[in-house]
Amino acid sequence: MEFGFYDTVQRKKLFQKNFPASQFVSDGAYHLYSLGTPKLPAPGQKFHAWGDESWNLNLNEIMKDFLAKHDSGKTWEIFVSVKADDKNLYLDRMIFAESGKKER
């Protein structure tokens, strides 16, 4: 499974995190997995977020207000809630938590 942000204007990956399938717990319940503290897209930047090689998570509208208001001096740890069974992975949500670290 792969997650990331992609700049649709400059056509480049802003962030990417890969998880091997063996890392997911296959008990049919949702579990949180950290994507770390990537640099967030700038307010107004055209991007999409993906979870897998081709799935657009359509976060532009959801994140627009957050990106316009967030303190650019703070970093945010991003978590994804994923459920795995024998054949599939299901993404429930992405959670942005203030990490307390300052960006450099």
Side-chain angles (χ1 to χ4, degrees):
M1 183 61 122
E2 180 178 272
F3 294 95
F5 298 131
Y6 180 79
D7 183 321
T8 57
V9 174
Q10 296 181 18
R11 297 179 183 248
K12 68 177 186 177
K13 290 181 183 176
L14 301 172
F15 166 73
Q16 175 180 338
K17 172 83 177 204
N18 297 306
F19 290 100
S22 61
Q23 187 168 348
F24 294 102
V25 178
S26 295
D27 62 0
Y30 284 99
H31 297 274
L32 290 178
Y33 299 91
S34 176
L35 300 181
T37 56
K39 184 173 173 78
L40 294 176
Q45 186 172 13
K46 302 292 185 193
F47 76 97
H48 73 251
W50 78 89
D52 203 340
E53 292 178 356
S54 61
W55 183 29
N56 184 348
L57 296 175
N58 293 317
L59 290 179
N60 285 26
E61 289 301 313
I62 295 168
M63 289 183 62
K64 184 168 55 175
D65 288 338
F66 171 76
L67 290 173
K69 296 174 186 173
H70 85 283
D71 180 346
S72 61
K74 295 179 182 175
T75 58
W76 302 86
E77 186 167 5
I78 302 174
F79 295 90
V80 289
S81 176
V82 177
K83 174 172 73 171
D85 61 23
D86 293 336
K87 297 179 183 180
N88 300 298
L89 294 174
Y90 303 93
L91 177 67
D92 178 49
R93 65 192 69 210
M94 294 179 80
I95 300 167
F96 292 76
E98 186 178 337
S99 73
K101 299 179 198 172
K102 292 285 185 184
E103 285 186 6
R104 295 181 193 169

Coordinates of all heavy atoms in Angstrom, one line a residue, residues 15-79:
F15 N 5.2 13.9 -1.5 CA 5.4 13.0 -0.4 C 5.0 11.6 -0.8 O 4.0 11.4 -1.5 CB 4.6 13.5 0.8 CG 4.5 12.4 1.9 CD1 5.6 12.1 2.7 CD2 3.3 11.8 2.1 CE1 5.5 11.2 3.7 CE2 3.2 10.8 3.1 CZ 4.3 10.5 3.9
Q16 N 5.7 10.6 -0.3 CA 5.3 9.2 -0.6 C 5.7 8.3 0.6 O 6.8 8.5 1.1 CB 6.0 8.7 -1.8 CG 5.7 7.3 -2.2 CD 6.5 6.9 -3.4 OE1 6.8 7.7 -4.3 NE2 6.8 5.6 -3.6
K17 N 4.8 7.4 1.0 CA 5.1 6.5 2.1 C 4.5 5.1 1.6 O 3.4 5.0 1.2 CB 4.4 6.9 3.4 CG 4.4 5.9 4.5 CD 5.7 6.0 5.3 CE 5.7 5.0 6.4 NZ 6.6 5.4 7.5
N18 N 5.4 4.1 1.7 CA 5.0 2.7 1.3 C 4.9 1.8 2.5 O 5.8 1.9 3.4 CB 6.0 2.1 0.3 CG 6.1 2.9 -0.9 OD1 5.1 3.1 -1.6 ND2 7.3 3.3 -1.3
F19 N 3.9 1.0 2.6 CA 3.7 0.0 3.6 C 3.7 -1.4 3.0 O 3.0 -1.6 2.0 CB 2.4 0.1 4.3 CG 2.3 1.3 5.2 CD1 1.6 2.5 4.7 CD2 2.8 1.4 6.5 CE1 1.5 3.6 5.5 CE2 2.7 2.5 7.3 CZ 2.1 3.6 6.8
P20 N 4.6 -2.3 3.4 CA 4.5 -3.7 2.9 C 3.2 -4.3 3.4 O 2.7 -4.0 4.5 CB 5.7 -4.4 3.5 CG 6.1 -3.6 4.7 CD 5.6 -2.2 4.4
A21 N 2.6 -5.2 2.7 CA 1.4 -5.9 3.1 C 1.5 -6.6 4.4 O 0.5 -6.6 5.2 CB 0.9 -6.9 2.0
S22 N 2.7 -7.1 4.7 CA 2.9 -7.8 6.0 C 2.7 -6.9 7.2 O 2.5 -7.4 8.3 CB 4.2 -8.5 6.0 OG 5.3 -7.5 5.9
Q23 N 2.8 -5.6 7.0 CA 2.7 -4.7 8.1 C 1.3 -4.5 8.6 O 1.0 -4.1 9.8 CB 3.3 -3.3 7.8 CG 3.4 -2.4 8.9 CD 4.2 -1.1 8.6 OE1 4.9 -1.1 7.6 NE2 4.1 -0.2 9.5
F24 N 0.3 -4.8 7.8 CA -1.1 -4.6 8.2 C -1.6 -5.8 8.9 O -1.4 -7.0 8.6 CB -2.0 -4.4 6.9 CG -1.7 -3.1 6.2 CD1 -0.9 -3.1 5.1 CD2 -2.1 -1.9 6.7 CE1 -0.6 -1.9 4.4 CE2 -1.8 -0.7 6.1 CZ -1.1 -0.7 4.9
V25 N -2.3 -5.5 10.0 CA -3.0 -6.6 10.8 C -4.2 -7.1 10.1 O -5.1 -6.3 9.8 CB -3.3 -6.0 12.2 CG1 -4.0 -7.1 13.1 CG2 -2.1 -5.5 12.9
S26 N -4.3 -8.3 9.8 CA -5.5 -8.9 9.1 C -6.5 -9.5 10.0 O -6.8 -10.7 10.0 CB -5.0 -10.0 8.1 OG -4.2 -9.4 7.1
D27 N -7.1 -8.7 10.9 CA -8.1 -9.2 11.8 C -9.5 -8.6 11.6 O -10.4 -8.8 12.3 CB -7.6 -8.9 13.3 CG -7.5 -7.4 13.6 OD1 -7.8 -6.6 12.7 OD2 -7.2 -7.1 14.7
G28 N -9.6 -7.8 10.5 CA -10.9 -7.3 10.1 C -11.3 -6.0 10.9 O -12.4 -5.6 10.8
A29 N -10.4 -5.5 11.7 CA -10.6 -4.3 12.5 C -9.7 -3.1 11.9 O -8.7 -3.4 11.3 CB -10.3 -4.5 13.9
Y30 N -10.2 -1.9 12.2 CA -9.4 -0.8 11.7 C -8.2 -0.5 12.7 O -8.4 -0.6 13.9 CB -10.2 0.5 11.6 CG -11.1 0.5 10.4 CD1 -12.4 0.1 10.4 CD2 -10.5 0.8 9.1 CE1 -13.2 0.1 9.2 CE2 -11.3 0.8 8.0 CZ -12.6 0.4 8.0 OH -13.4 0.4 6.9
H31 N -7.1 -0.2 12.2 CA -5.9 0.1 13.0 C -5.3 1.4 12.4 O -5.3 1.6 11.2 CB -4.8 -1.0 12.9 CG -5.4 -2.3 13.5 ND1 -5.3 -2.6 14.8 CD2 -6.0 -3.3 12.9 CE1 -5.8 -3.8 15.1 NE2 -6.2 -4.3 13.9
L32 N -4.6 2.2 13.2 CA -3.9 3.4 12.8 C -2.5 3.1 12.4 O -1.8 2.4 13.1 CB -4.0 4.5 13.9 CG -5.3 5.1 14.2 CD1 -5.2 6.1 15.4 CD2 -5.9 5.8 13.0
Y33 N -2.1 3.7 11.3 CA -0.7 3.6 10.8 C -0.2 5.0 10.6 O -0.9 5.8 9.9 CB -0.6 2.7 9.6 CG -1.1 1.3 9.8 CD1 -2.5 1.0 9.6 CD2 -0.3 0.3 10.2 CE1 -2.9 -0.3 9.8 CE2 -0.7 -1.0 10.4 CZ -2.1 -1.2 10.2 OH -2.5 -2.5 10.4
S34 N 1.0 5.3 11.0 CA 1.5 6.7 10.9 C 2.2 6.8 9.5 O 3.0 6.0 9.1 CB 2.6 7.0 12.0 OG 3.2 8.2 11.8
L35 N 1.9 7.9 8.9 CA 2.6 8.3 7.6 C 3.8 9.2 8.0 O 4.5 9.6 7.1 CB 1.7 9.1 6.7 CG 0.5 8.3 6.2 CD1 -0.3 9.2 5.2 CD2 0.9 7.0 5.5
G36 N 4.0 9.6 9.2 CA 5.1 10.4 9.6 C 4.6 11.9 9.6 O 3.4 12.2 9.8
T37 N 5.6 12.8 9.4 CA 5.3 14.2 9.5 C 5.7 14.9 8.2 O 6.7 15.7 8.2 CB 6.0 14.9 10.7 OG1 7.4 14.6 10.6 CG2 5.5 14.4 12.0
P38 N 5.1 14.6 7.1 CA 5.5 15.2 5.8 C 5.2 16.7 5.7 O 4.3 17.1 6.5 CB 4.7 14.4 4.8 CG 3.4 14.0 5.5 CD 3.9 13.7 6.9
K39 N 5.9 17.4 4.9 CA 5.6 18.8 4.6 C 4.2 18.8 3.9 O 4.1 18.1 2.9 CB 6.6 19.4 3.8 CG 6.4 20.9 3.6 CD 7.6 21.5 2.9 CE 7.4 22.9 2.5 NZ 7.5 23.9 3.5
L40 N 3.3 19.6 4.4 CA 1.9 19.6 3.8 C 2.0 20.5 2.5 O 2.8 21.4 2.4 CB 0.9 20.2 4.8 CG 0.7 19.3 6.0 CD1 -0.3 20.1 6.9 CD2 0.1 18.0 5.6
P41 N 1.1 20.2 1.6 CA 1.0 21.1 0.4 C 0.7 22.6 0.9 O 0.0 22.8 1.9 CB -0.2 20.5 -0.4 CG -0.2 19.1 0.0 CD 0.2 19.1 1.5
A42 N 1.1 23.5 0.1 CA 0.9 24.9 0.5 C -0.6 25.3 0.2 O -1.2 24.7 -0.7 CB 1.8 25.8 -0.3
P43 N -1.1 26.3 1.0 CA -2.5 26.7 0.7 C -2.6 27.1 -0.8 O -1.8 27.8 -1.3 CB -2.7 27.9 1.6 CG -1.7 27.7 2.7 CD -0.5 27.0 2.1
G44 N -3.6 26.6 -1.4 CA -3.9 26.9 -2.9 C -3.1 26.1 -3.8 O -3.4 26.1 -5.0
Q45 N -2.2 25.3 -3.3 CA -1.4 24.4 -4.2 C -2.3 23.3 -4.8 O -3.1 22.7 -4.1 CB -0.3 23.8 -3.5 CG 0.7 22.9 -4.3 CD 1.9 22.5 -3.5 OE1 2.0 22.6 -2.3 NE2 2.9 22.0 -4.3
K46 N -2.3 23.0 -6.1 CA -3.1 22.0 -6.7 C -2.4 20.7 -6.5 O -1.3 20.4 -7.0 CB -3.2 22.3 -8.2 CG -3.8 23.6 -8.5 CD -5.3 23.7 -8.1 CE -5.9 25.0 -8.6 NZ -7.2 25.3 -8.0
F47 N -3.1 19.8 -5.8 CA -2.5 18.5 -5.5 C -3.6 17.5 -5.4 O -4.8 17.8 -5.3 CB -1.7 18.5 -4.2 CG -2.5 18.6 -3.0 CD1 -2.8 17.4 -2.3 CD2 -3.1 19.7 -2.5 CE1 -3.6 17.4 -1.1 CE2 -3.9 19.8 -1.4 CZ -4.1 18.6 -0.7
H48 N -3.2 16.2 -5.4 CA -4.2 15.2 -4.9 C -3.4 14.2 -4.0 O -2.2 14.2 -4.0 CB -4.9 14.5 -6.0 CG -4.1 13.5 -6.8 ND1 -3.7 13.8 -8.1 CD2 -3.6 12.3 -6.5 CE1 -3.0 12.8 -8.6 NE2 -2.9 11.8 -7.7
A49 N -4.1 13.6 -3.1 CA -3.6 12.6 -2.3 C -4.0 11.2 -2.8 O -5.1 11.1 -3.3 CB -4.1 12.8 -0.8
W50 N -3.1 10.3 -2.6 CA -3.5 8.9 -3.1 C -3.3 7.9 -2.0 O -2.5 8.1 -1.1 CB -2.8 8.6 -4.4 CG -1.4 8.1 -4.2 CD1 -0.9 6.9 -4.0 CD2 -0.2 9.0 -4.3 NE1 0.4 6.9 -3.9 CE2 0.9 8.1 -4.1 CE3 0.0 10.3 -4.4 CZ2 2.2 8.6 -4.0 CZ3 1.3 10.8 -4.4 CH2 2.4 10.0 -4.2
G51 N -4.0 6.8 -2.1 CA -3.8 5.7 -1.2 C -3.8 4.5 -2.2 O -4.9 4.0 -2.6
D52 N -2.7 4.0 -2.6 CA -2.5 2.9 -3.6 C -1.9 3.6 -4.8 O -1.7 4.8 -4.9 CB -3.8 2.2 -4.0 CG -3.6 0.8 -4.5 OD1 -2.5 0.5 -5.0 OD2 -4.5 0.0 -4.5
E53 N -1.6 2.9 -5.9 CA -0.9 3.4 -7.0 C -1.8 4.4 -7.8 O -1.3 5.3 -8.5 CB -0.4 2.3 -7.9 CG 0.7 1.6 -7.2 CD 1.2 0.4 -8.1 OE1 0.7 0.2 -9.2 OE2 2.2 -0.2 -7.7
S54 N -3.1 4.2 -7.8 CA -3.9 5.0 -8.7 C -5.2 5.6 -8.1 O -6.0 6.3 -8.8 CB -4.4 4.1 -9.9 OG -5.2 3.1 -9.4
W55 N -5.4 5.5 -6.8 CA -6.6 5.9 -6.2 C -6.5 7.3 -5.7 O -5.8 7.6 -4.7 CB -7.0 5.0 -5.0 CG -8.3 5.3 -4.4 CD1 -9.4 5.8 -5.0 CD2 -8.6 5.0 -3.0 NE1 -10.4 6.0 -4.0 CE2 -9.9 5.5 -2.9 CE3 -8.0 4.5 -2.0 CZ2 -10.6 5.4 -1.6 CZ3 -8.6 4.4 -0.8 CH2 -9.9 4.8 -0.6
N56 N -7.2 8.3 -6.3 CA -7.2 9.7 -5.8 C -8.2 9.8 -4.6 O -9.3 9.4 -4.7 CB -7.7 10.5 -7.0 CG -7.7 12.0 -6.6 OD1 -7.5 12.4 -5.5 ND2 -7.8 12.8 -7.6
L57 N -7.7 10.2 -3.5 CA -8.5 10.3 -2.3 C -9.3 11.6 -2.2 O -10.1 11.8 -1.3 CB -7.6 10.3 -1.0 CG -6.8 9.0 -0.8 CD1 -5.8 9.2 0.4 CD2 -7.7 7.9 -0.6
N58 N -9.2 12.5 -3.2 CA -10.0 13.7 -3.3 C -10.0 14.5 -2.1 O -11.0 14.9 -1.5 CB -11.5 13.3 -3.7 CG -11.5 12.8 -5.1 OD1 -10.9 13.3 -6.0 ND2 -12.3 11.7 -5.3
L59 N -8.8 14.8 -1.6 CA -8.7 15.6 -0.3 C -8.6 17.1 -0.6 O -8.6 17.8 0.4 CB -7.4 15.1 0.4 CG -7.5 13.8 1.1 CD1 -6.2 13.5 1.8 CD2 -8.6 13.7 2.1
N60 N -8.6 17.5 -1.8 CA -8.4 18.9 -2.1 C -9.5 19.8 -1.4 O -9.2 20.7 -0.7 CB -8.4 19.3 -3.6 CG -7.2 18.9 -4.2 OD1 -6.4 18.0 -3.8 ND2 -6.8 19.5 -5.3
E61 N -10.8 19.4 -1.5 CA -11.8 20.2 -0.9 C -11.9 20.0 0.6 O -12.1 21.0 1.3 CB -13.2 19.8 -1.5 CG -13.4 20.3 -3.0 CD -13.3 21.8 -3.1 OE1 -13.9 22.5 -2.3 OE2 -12.6 22.2 -4.0
I62 N -11.6 18.8 1.0 CA -11.6 18.6 2.5 C -10.5 19.3 3.2 O -10.7 19.9 4.3 CB -11.5 17.0 2.7 CG1 -12.7 16.3 2.2 CG2 -11.3 16.8 4.2 CD1 -12.6 14.8 2.1
M63 N -9.3 19.4 2.6 CA -8.2 20.0 3.2 C -8.1 21.5 2.9 O -7.2 22.1 3.5 CB -6.9 19.3 2.8 CG -6.8 17.9 3.3 SD -5.2 17.1 2.9 CE -4.0 18.2 3.6
K64 N -8.9 22.0 2.0 CA -8.7 23.4 1.6 C -8.8 24.4 2.8 O -7.9 25.2 3.0 CB -9.8 23.8 0.6 CG -9.6 25.2 0.0 CD -10.4 25.5 -1.2 CE -11.9 25.2 -0.9 NZ -12.7 25.6 -2.1
D65 N -9.8 24.3 3.7 CA -9.9 25.1 4.8 C -8.8 24.9 5.8 O -8.2 25.8 6.4 CB -11.2 24.9 5.5 CG -12.4 25.5 4.7 OD1 -12.2 26.4 3.9 OD2 -13.5 25.0 5.0
F66 N -8.4 23.7 6.0 CA -7.3 23.3 7.0 C -6.0 23.9 6.5 O -5.3 24.6 7.3 CB -7.2 21.8 7.1 CG -6.0 21.4 7.9 CD1 -5.9 21.5 9.3 CD2 -4.9 20.9 7.2 CE1 -4.8 21.2 10.0 CE2 -3.7 20.5 7.9 CZ -3.7 20.7 9.3
L67 N -5.7 23.8 5.2 CA -4.4 24.3 4.7 C -4.4 25.8 4.7 O -3.3 26.4 4.9 CB -4.2 23.8 3.3 CG -3.9 22.3 3.2 CD1 -3.8 21.9 1.7 CD2 -2.6 21.9 3.9
A68 N -5.6 26.5 4.5 CA -5.6 27.9 4.6 C -5.4 28.5 6.0 O -4.9 29.6 6.2 CB -6.9 28.4 4.0
K69 N -5.7 27.7 7.0 CA -5.7 28.2 8.4 C -4.6 27.6 9.2 O -4.3 28.1 10.3 CB -7.0 27.8 9.1 CG -8.2 28.5 8.5 CD -9.5 28.1 9.1 CE -10.7 28.7 8.4 NZ -11.9 28.1 8.8
H70 N -3.9 26.5 8.8 CA -2.9 25.9 9.7 C -1.7 26.7 9.8 O -1.3 27.5 8.9 CB -2.5 24.5 9.1 CG -1.5 24.4 8.1 ND1 -1.7 24.8 6.8 CD2 -0.2 24.1 8.2 CE1 -0.6 24.7 6.1 NE2 0.3 24.3 6.9
D71 N -1.0 26.6 11.0 CA 0.2 27.4 11.3 C 1.3 26.7 10.5 O 1.7 25.6 10.8 CB 0.4 27.3 12.8 CG 1.6 28.1 13.2 OD1 2.5 28.4 12.4 OD2 1.7 28.3 14.5
S72 N 1.9 27.5 9.6 CA 3.0 26.9 8.8 C 4.2 26.6 9.6 O 5.1 25.8 9.1 CB 3.3 27.8 7.6 OG 3.8 29.1 8.1
G73 N 4.3 27.1 10.8 CA 5.5 26.7 11.6 C 5.3 25.4 12.4 O 6.3 24.9 13.0
K74 N 4.2 24.8 12.3 CA 3.9 23.6 13.0 C 4.0 22.4 12.0 O 3.8 22.5 10.9 CB 2.5 23.6 13.7 CG 2.4 24.6 14.7 CD 1.0 24.5 15.3 CE 0.8 25.6 16.4 NZ -0.6 25.6 16.9
T75 N 4.3 21.2 12.6 CA 4.3 20.0 11.8 C 3.1 19.2 12.3 O 2.7 19.3 13.4 CB 5.6 19.2 11.8 OG1 5.8 18.9 13.2 CG2 6.7 20.0 11.3
W76 N 2.6 18.3 11.4 CA 1.5 17.5 11.6 C 1.8 16.1 11.3 O 2.3 15.8 10.3 CB 0.3 18.0 10.8 CG -0.1 19.4 11.0 CD1 0.5 20.5 10.4 CD2 -1.0 19.9 11.9 NE1 -0.1 21.6 10.9 CE2 -1.0 21.3 11.8 CE3 -1.9 19.3 12.8 CZ2 -1.8 22.1 12.6 CZ3 -2.7 20.1 13.6 CH2 -2.6 21.5 13.5
E77 N 1.5 15.2 12.3 CA 1.7 13.8 12.0 C 0.4 13.3 11.4 O -0.7 13.6 11.9 CB 2.0 13.0 13.3 CG 2.3 11.5 13.0 CD 2.9 10.8 14.2 OE1 3.0 11.4 15.3 OE2 3.3 9.6 14.0
I78 N 0.5 12.5 10.3 CA -0.6 12.0 9.6 C -0.8 10.5 9.9 O 0.2 9.8 9.7 CB -0.5 12.3 8.1 CG1 -0.3 13.8 7.8 CG2 -1.8 11.8 7.3 CD1 -0.1 14.1 6.4
F79 N -2.0 10.1 10.2 CA -2.3 8.7 10.5 C -3.4 8.3 9.5 O -4.2 9.1 9.1 CB -2.8 8.5 11.9 CG -1.9 8.8 13.0 CD1 -1.8 10.1 13.5 CD2 -1.0 7.8 13.4 CE1 -0.9 10.4 14.5 CE2 -0.1 8.1 14.5 CZ -0.1 9.4 15.0

